[in-house]
Amino acid sequence: MASAFEQMRANVGKLLRGIDRYNPENLATLERYVETQVKDNAYDLEANLAILKLYQFNPAYFQVTVTSQILLKALTNLPHTDFTLCKCMIDQTHEERPIRQILYLGNLLETCHFQSFWSSLEENREFIDGITGFEDSVRKFICHVVGITYQNIEHRLLAEMLGDPLDTQVKVWMSKYGWTENEEGQIFIFNQEESVKPKNIVEKIDFESVSSIMATSQ
């Protein structure tokens, strides 16, 4: 049996096909769909972009709360460019609280200022109230960055990057990614040299291809 989210997704998918995509009367349905994404830890970028486009066309319908939720959900899908796509569709006149602060949080994440992100989020925790899985999604992105950047990292530094002052999360994420720690508190991430494998690129060009190129160049 399909979940409530899957049923809604199918209905919204039909709604977004054709001319109805730009009908502001559909905003109420689409906004409820955002609420479902927030509660169920689900995500639908196409539908969320359609809402932002409708707000562009119909500024009187603009909803700060829905737009904030869309931006926060986009952050959960880093390193994909969803946040940038959503950000570009918001008129600067709407960059009020909390949208302004969420844009700032997004900038901190995109520029890998992770410790600053967590301290800023701590001051604005009401933004993520009810957004299921937000912090774990952000930690997954941070682990992705760590995985492609570091060979070894100090346990203390990783805890700071994961926003984990009580050190309850590091072991969980180490286990997820298969990272190991030595007695000195150094976490072994990955041997970058082993992952770089040289490739021999061989291009075969037959005589017919060469002769046709020579003929067209004369």
Side-chain angles (χ1 to χ4, degrees), residues 118 135-140 143 155 158-177 179 181 187:
W118 291 112
E135 288 172 282
D136 277 350
S137 296
V138 169
R139 288 188 177 109
K140 183 179 177 184
C143 286
H155 185 113
L158 183 60
E160 287 177 8
M161 291 170 81
L162 291 174
D164 187 24
L166 300 177
D167 203 11
T168 57
Q169 291 285 328
V170 172
K171 288 274 196 289
V172 174
W173 290 95
M174 281 175 58
S175 174
K176 277 183 191 286
Y177 286 88
W179 299 340
E181 183 175 2
I187 297 171

mmCIF file of all heavy atoms in Angstrom, residues 118 135-140 143 155 158-177 179 181 187:
data_model
loop_
_atom_site.group_PDB
_atom_site.id
_atom_site.type_symbol
_atom_site.label_atom_id
_atom_site.label_comp_id
_atom_site.label_asym_id
_atom_site.label_seq_id
_atom_site.Cartn_x
_atom_site.Cartn_y
_atom_site.Cartn_z
ATOM 1 N N TRP A 118 27.125 25.362 12.864
ATOM 2 C CA TRP A 118 26.473 24.788 14.049
ATOM 3 C C TRP A 118 26.233 25.839 15.126
ATOM 4 O O TRP A 118 25.184 25.832 15.773
ATOM 5 C CB TRP A 118 27.295 23.624 14.608
ATOM 6 C CG TRP A 118 27.303 22.424 13.713
ATOM 7 C CD1 TRP A 118 28.370 21.922 13.016
ATOM 8 C CD2 TRP A 118 26.198 21.568 13.383
ATOM 9 N NE1 TRP A 118 27.992 20.825 12.281
ATOM 10 C CE2 TRP A 118 26.675 20.582 12.491
ATOM 11 C CE3 TRP A 118 24.860 21.538 13.767
ATOM 12 C CZ2 TRP A 118 25.858 19.576 11.977
ATOM 13 C CZ3 TRP A 118 24.036 20.547 13.247
ATOM 14 C CH2 TRP A 118 24.530 19.576 12.367
ATOM 15 N N GLU A 135 19.342 17.605 10.798
ATOM 16 C CA GLU A 135 20.734 17.600 11.270
ATOM 17 C C GLU A 135 21.513 16.399 10.749
ATOM 18 O O GLU A 135 22.687 16.518 10.381
ATOM 19 C CB GLU A 135 20.762 17.660 12.799
ATOM 20 C CG GLU A 135 20.353 19.036 13.313
ATOM 21 C CD GLU A 135 20.175 19.057 14.825
ATOM 22 O OE1 GLU A 135 19.134 18.576 15.300
ATOM 23 O OE2 GLU A 135 21.082 19.548 15.509
ATOM 24 N N ASP A 136 20.875 15.241 10.676
ATOM 25 C CA ASP A 136 21.568 14.064 10.145
ATOM 26 C C ASP A 136 21.884 14.221 8.659
ATOM 27 O O ASP A 136 22.932 13.761 8.189
ATOM 28 C CB ASP A 136 20.726 12.799 10.369
ATOM 29 C CG ASP A 136 20.919 12.227 11.767
ATOM 30 O OD1 ASP A 136 21.833 12.700 12.485
ATOM 31 O OD2 ASP A 136 20.150 11.322 12.150
ATOM 32 N N SER A 137 20.991 14.870 7.920
ATOM 33 C CA SER A 137 21.258 15.113 6.498
ATOM 34 C C SER A 137 22.460 16.035 6.325
ATOM 35 O O SER A 137 23.293 15.829 5.438
ATOM 36 C CB SER A 137 20.028 15.734 5.820
ATOM 37 O OG SER A 137 18.943 14.843 5.839
ATOM 38 N N VAL A 138 22.547 17.049 7.186
ATOM 39 C CA VAL A 138 23.693 17.968 7.137
ATOM 40 C C VAL A 138 24.974 17.214 7.505
ATOM 41 O O VAL A 138 26.024 17.385 6.864
ATOM 42 C CB VAL A 138 23.475 19.173 8.086
ATOM 43 C CG1 VAL A 138 24.764 19.973 8.253
ATOM 44 C CG2 VAL A 138 22.371 20.073 7.532
ATOM 45 N N ARG A 139 24.898 16.364 8.527
ATOM 46 C CA ARG A 139 26.087 15.594 8.936
ATOM 47 C C ARG A 139 26.534 14.641 7.821
ATOM 48 O O ARG A 139 27.733 14.409 7.629
ATOM 49 C CB ARG A 139 25.797 14.815 10.223
ATOM 50 C CG ARG A 139 25.702 15.723 11.442
ATOM 51 C CD ARG A 139 25.609 14.955 12.750
ATOM 52 N NE ARG A 139 25.586 15.892 13.862
ATOM 53 C CZ ARG A 139 24.519 16.150 14.611
ATOM 54 N NH1 ARG A 139 23.384 15.506 14.376
ATOM 55 N NH2 ARG A 139 24.588 17.027 15.597
ATOM 56 N N LYS A 140 25.580 14.108 7.087
ATOM 57 C CA LYS A 140 25.925 13.240 5.955
ATOM 58 C C LYS A 140 26.715 14.031 4.908
ATOM 59 O O LYS A 140 27.719 13.536 4.361
ATOM 60 C CB LYS A 140 24.634 12.672 5.335
ATOM 61 C CG LYS A 140 24.874 11.695 4.204
ATOM 62 C CD LYS A 140 23.556 11.161 3.660
ATOM 63 C CE LYS A 140 23.796 10.240 2.479
ATOM 64 N NZ LYS A 140 22.522 9.785 1.865
ATOM 65 N N CYS A 143 30.239 14.649 6.245
ATOM 66 C CA CYS A 143 31.047 13.434 6.119
ATOM 67 C C CYS A 143 31.487 13.221 4.666
ATOM 68 O O CYS A 143 32.604 12.750 4.405
ATOM 69 C CB CYS A 143 30.271 12.215 6.614
ATOM 70 S SG CYS A 143 30.133 12.149 8.421
ATOM 71 N N HIS A 155 40.051 13.361 16.063
ATOM 72 C CA HIS A 155 38.723 13.067 16.596
ATOM 73 C C HIS A 155 38.030 14.357 17.057
ATOM 74 O O HIS A 155 36.859 14.593 16.751
ATOM 75 C CB HIS A 155 38.851 12.093 17.782
ATOM 76 C CG HIS A 155 37.545 11.632 18.331
ATOM 77 N ND1 HIS A 155 37.105 10.323 18.235
ATOM 78 C CD2 HIS A 155 36.537 12.300 18.976
ATOM 79 C CE1 HIS A 155 35.911 10.219 18.789
ATOM 80 N NE2 HIS A 155 35.548 11.399 19.258
ATOM 81 N N LEU A 158 36.814 16.465 14.069
ATOM 82 C CA LEU A 158 35.633 15.875 13.426
ATOM 83 C C LEU A 158 34.384 16.114 14.271
ATOM 84 O O LEU A 158 33.313 16.428 13.732
ATOM 85 C CB LEU A 158 35.841 14.380 13.189
ATOM 86 C CG LEU A 158 34.696 13.661 12.449
ATOM 87 C CD1 LEU A 158 34.453 14.259 11.069
ATOM 88 C CD2 LEU A 158 34.982 12.159 12.335
ATOM 89 N N ALA A 159 34.529 15.994 15.590
ATOM 90 C CA ALA A 159 33.392 16.248 16.488
ATOM 91 C C ALA A 159 32.896 17.684 16.332
ATOM 92 O O ALA A 159 31.682 17.932 16.273
ATOM 93 C CB ALA A 159 33.795 15.977 17.936
ATOM 94 N N GLU A 160 33.822 18.628 16.225
ATOM 95 C CA GLU A 160 33.440 20.036 16.038
ATOM 96 C C GLU A 160 32.733 20.229 14.704
ATOM 97 O O GLU A 160 31.721 20.927 14.612
ATOM 98 C CB GLU A 160 34.683 20.934 16.092
ATOM 99 C CG GLU A 160 35.277 21.109 17.473
ATOM 100 C CD GLU A 160 36.543 21.950 17.444
ATOM 101 O OE1 GLU A 160 36.859 22.514 16.363
ATOM 102 O OE2 GLU A 160 37.219 22.043 18.483
ATOM 103 N N MET A 161 33.253 19.601 13.652
ATOM 104 C CA MET A 161 32.668 19.748 12.315
ATOM 105 C C MET A 161 31.262 19.151 12.253
ATOM 106 O O MET A 161 30.407 19.626 11.500
ATOM 107 C CB MET A 161 33.580 19.102 11.269
ATOM 108 C CG MET A 161 34.888 19.843 11.075
ATOM 109 S SD MET A 161 36.076 18.928 10.073
ATOM 110 C CE MET A 161 35.495 19.278 8.424
ATOM 111 N N LEU A 162 31.040 18.104 13.048
ATOM 112 C CA LEU A 162 29.723 17.445 13.061
ATOM 113 C C LEU A 162 28.767 18.083 14.064
ATOM 114 O O LEU A 162 27.662 17.593 14.271
ATOM 115 C CB LEU A 162 29.878 15.952 13.378
ATOM 116 C CG LEU A 162 30.562 15.098 12.295
ATOM 117 C CD1 LEU A 162 30.774 13.676 12.797
ATOM 118 C CD2 LEU A 162 29.751 15.084 11.001
ATOM 119 N N GLY A 163 29.201 19.178 14.686
ATOM 120 C CA GLY A 163 28.349 19.842 15.673
ATOM 121 C C GLY A 163 28.038 18.929 16.834
ATOM 122 O O GLY A 163 26.899 18.817 17.277
ATOM 123 N N ASP A 164 29.081 18.286 17.346
ATOM 124 C CA ASP A 164 28.909 17.223 18.339
ATOM 125 C C ASP A 164 29.761 17.485 19.586
ATOM 126 O O ASP A 164 30.697 16.729 19.880
ATOM 127 C CB ASP A 164 29.318 15.890 17.682
ATOM 128 C CG ASP A 164 29.034 14.682 18.552
ATOM 129 O OD1 ASP A 164 28.153 14.776 19.419
ATOM 130 O OD2 ASP A 164 29.712 13.657 18.353
ATOM 131 N N PRO A 165 29.465 18.547 20.335
ATOM 132 C CA PRO A 165 30.293 18.885 21.499
ATOM 133 C C PRO A 165 30.290 17.817 22.591
ATOM 134 O O PRO A 165 31.247 17.694 23.348
ATOM 135 C CB PRO A 165 29.679 20.198 22.019
ATOM 136 C CG PRO A 165 28.274 20.201 21.497
ATOM 137 C CD PRO A 165 28.334 19.488 20.182
ATOM 138 N N LEU A 166 29.224 17.024 22.673
ATOM 139 C CA LEU A 166 29.133 15.977 23.690
ATOM 140 C C LEU A 166 29.728 14.648 23.205
ATOM 141 O O LEU A 166 29.720 13.651 23.924
ATOM 142 C CB LEU A 166 27.679 15.777 24.128
ATOM 143 C CG LEU A 166 26.991 17.007 24.730
ATOM 144 C CD1 LEU A 166 25.540 16.703 25.051
ATOM 145 C CD2 LEU A 166 27.729 17.477 25.984
ATOM 146 N N ASP A 167 30.209 14.650 21.952
ATOM 147 C CA ASP A 167 30.880 13.469 21.385
ATOM 148 C C ASP A 167 29.976 12.231 21.375
ATOM 149 O O ASP A 167 30.396 11.125 21.717
ATOM 150 C CB ASP A 167 32.175 13.185 22.161
ATOM 151 C CG ASP A 167 33.164 12.379 21.316
ATOM 152 O OD1 ASP A 167 32.915 12.235 20.103
ATOM 153 O OD2 ASP A 167 34.159 11.892 21.871
ATOM 154 N N THR A 168 28.735 12.437 20.979
ATOM 155 C CA THR A 168 27.798 11.302 20.902
ATOM 156 C C THR A 168 27.604 10.827 19.464
ATOM 157 O O THR A 168 27.045 9.747 19.233
ATOM 158 C CB THR A 168 26.419 11.702 21.465
ATOM 159 O OG1 THR A 168 25.943 12.843 20.734
ATOM 160 C CG2 THR A 168 26.515 12.062 22.934
ATOM 161 N N GLN A 169 28.044 11.639 18.484
ATOM 162 C CA GLN A 169 27.755 11.349 17.076
ATOM 163 C C GLN A 169 28.947 10.766 16.311
ATOM 164 O O GLN A 169 28.762 10.038 15.339
ATOM 165 C CB GLN A 169 27.310 12.640 16.364
ATOM 166 C CG GLN A 169 25.961 13.160 16.805
ATOM 167 C CD GLN A 169 24.823 12.339 16.253
ATOM 168 O OE1 GLN A 169 24.905 11.783 15.159
ATOM 169 N NE2 GLN A 169 23.743 12.237 17.005
ATOM 170 N N VAL A 170 30.165 11.098 16.729
ATOM 171 C CA VAL A 170 31.346 10.750 15.925
ATOM 172 C C VAL A 170 31.427 9.253 15.660
ATOM 173 O O VAL A 170 31.602 8.811 14.524
ATOM 174 C CB VAL A 170 32.642 11.257 16.599
ATOM 175 C CG1 VAL A 170 33.881 10.727 15.851
ATOM 176 C CG2 VAL A 170 32.679 12.776 16.607
ATOM 177 N N LYS A 171 31.264 8.452 16.718
ATOM 178 C CA LYS A 171 31.364 6.985 16.554
ATOM 179 C C LYS A 171 30.288 6.458 15.593
ATOM 180 O O LYS A 171 30.542 5.540 14.807
ATOM 181 C CB LYS A 171 31.219 6.310 17.927
ATOM 182 C CG LYS A 171 32.428 6.503 18.846
ATOM 183 C CD LYS A 171 33.489 5.444 18.572
ATOM 184 C CE LYS A 171 34.521 5.352 19.697
ATOM 185 N NZ LYS A 171 35.413 6.492 19.752
ATOM 186 N N VAL A 172 29.106 7.046 15.670
ATOM 187 C CA VAL A 172 28.006 6.630 14.785
ATOM 188 C C VAL A 172 28.389 6.837 13.325
ATOM 189 O O VAL A 172 28.224 5.941 12.484
ATOM 190 C CB VAL A 172 26.712 7.427 15.104
ATOM 191 C CG1 VAL A 172 25.617 7.100 14.102
ATOM 192 C CG2 VAL A 172 26.244 7.149 16.529
ATOM 193 N N TRP A 173 28.924 8.024 13.012
ATOM 194 C CA TRP A 173 29.263 8.340 11.617
ATOM 195 C C TRP A 173 30.528 7.622 11.172
ATOM 196 O O TRP A 173 30.641 7.243 10.007
ATOM 197 C CB TRP A 173 29.365 9.853 11.437
ATOM 198 C CG TRP A 173 28.004 10.471 11.544
ATOM 199 C CD1 TRP A 173 27.422 11.025 12.649
ATOM 200 C CD2 TRP A 173 27.011 10.535 10.509
ATOM 201 N NE1 TRP A 173 26.135 11.433 12.369
ATOM 202 C CE2 TRP A 173 25.857 11.153 11.071
ATOM 203 C CE3 TRP A 173 26.979 10.136 9.181
ATOM 204 C CZ2 TRP A 173 24.698 11.379 10.329
ATOM 205 C CZ3 TRP A 173 25.816 10.366 8.438
ATOM 206 C CH2 TRP A 173 24.698 10.967 9.020
ATOM 207 N N MET A 174 31.472 7.402 12.099
ATOM 208 C CA MET A 174 32.647 6.588 11.762
ATOM 209 C C MET A 174 32.211 5.195 11.331
ATOM 210 O O MET A 174 32.713 4.638 10.351
ATOM 211 C CB MET A 174 33.576 6.484 12.982
ATOM 212 C CG MET A 174 34.441 7.696 13.223
ATOM 213 S SD MET A 174 35.381 7.522 14.770
ATOM 214 C CE MET A 174 36.293 5.999 14.443
ATOM 215 N N SER A 175 31.249 4.633 12.064
ATOM 216 C CA SER A 175 30.750 3.293 11.756
ATOM 217 C C SER A 175 30.068 3.269 10.386
ATOM 218 O O SER A 175 30.259 2.340 9.599
ATOM 219 C CB SER A 175 29.783 2.855 12.851
ATOM 220 O OG SER A 175 29.185 1.631 12.522
ATOM 221 N N LYS A 176 29.276 4.310 10.103
ATOM 222 C CA LYS A 176 28.563 4.382 8.809
ATOM 223 C C LYS A 176 29.532 4.360 7.635
ATOM 224 O O LYS A 176 29.255 3.762 6.592
ATOM 225 C CB LYS A 176 27.737 5.672 8.727
ATOM 226 C CG LYS A 176 26.379 5.619 9.404
ATOM 227 C CD LYS A 176 25.645 6.941 9.189
ATOM 228 C CE LYS A 176 24.404 7.062 10.047
ATOM 229 N NZ LYS A 176 23.299 6.237 9.567
ATOM 230 N N TYR A 177 30.674 5.056 7.800
ATOM 231 C CA TYR A 177 31.602 5.215 6.675
ATOM 232 C C TYR A 177 32.813 4.293 6.760
ATOM 233 O O TYR A 177 33.702 4.354 5.915
ATOM 234 C CB TYR A 177 32.049 6.687 6.580
ATOM 235 C CG TYR A 177 30.959 7.579 6.043
ATOM 236 C CD1 TYR A 177 30.021 8.163 6.894
ATOM 237 C CD2 TYR A 177 30.813 7.791 4.672
ATOM 238 C CE1 TYR A 177 28.993 8.956 6.407
ATOM 239 C CE2 TYR A 177 29.793 8.580 4.175
ATOM 240 C CZ TYR A 177 28.877 9.158 5.047
ATOM 241 O OH TYR A 177 27.856 9.935 4.546
ATOM 242 N N TRP A 179 35.236 4.332 8.963
ATOM 243 C CA TRP A 179 36.450 5.016 9.395
ATOM 244 C C TRP A 179 36.942 4.407 10.703
ATOM 245 O O TRP A 179 36.138 3.969 11.538
ATOM 246 C CB TRP A 179 36.193 6.512 9.587
ATOM 247 C CG TRP A 179 35.746 7.216 8.337
ATOM 248 C CD1 TRP A 179 35.906 6.795 7.053
ATOM 249 C CD2 TRP A 179 35.039 8.461 8.250
ATOM 250 N NE1 TRP A 179 35.355 7.696 6.168
ATOM 251 C CE2 TRP A 179 34.812 8.733 6.873
ATOM 252 C CE3 TRP A 179 34.583 9.379 9.202
ATOM 253 C CZ2 TRP A 179 34.156 9.876 6.427
ATOM 254 C CZ3 TRP A 179 33.922 10.524 8.764
ATOM 255 C CH2 TRP A 179 33.715 10.771 7.382
ATOM 256 N N GLU A 181 39.860 4.588 14.160
ATOM 257 C CA GLU A 181 40.590 5.535 14.999
ATOM 258 C C GLU A 181 41.732 4.829 15.723
ATOM 259 O O GLU A 181 41.557 3.711 16.211
ATOM 260 C CB GLU A 181 39.629 6.163 16.023
ATOM 261 C CG GLU A 181 40.274 7.227 16.903
ATOM 262 C CD GLU A 181 39.254 7.910 17.820
ATOM 263 O OE1 GLU A 181 38.060 7.517 17.779
ATOM 264 O OE2 GLU A 181 39.635 8.813 18.572
ATOM 265 N N ILE A 187 41.689 9.802 13.345
ATOM 266 C CA ILE A 187 40.732 8.969 12.609
ATOM 267 C C ILE A 187 41.229 8.789 11.182
ATOM 268 O O ILE A 187 41.523 9.770 10.476
ATOM 269 C CB ILE A 187 39.328 9.607 12.628
ATOM 270 C CG1 ILE A 187 38.810 9.671 14.071
ATOM 271 C CG2 ILE A 187 38.358 8.815 11.752
ATOM 272 C CD1 ILE A 187 37.539 10.478 14.235
#
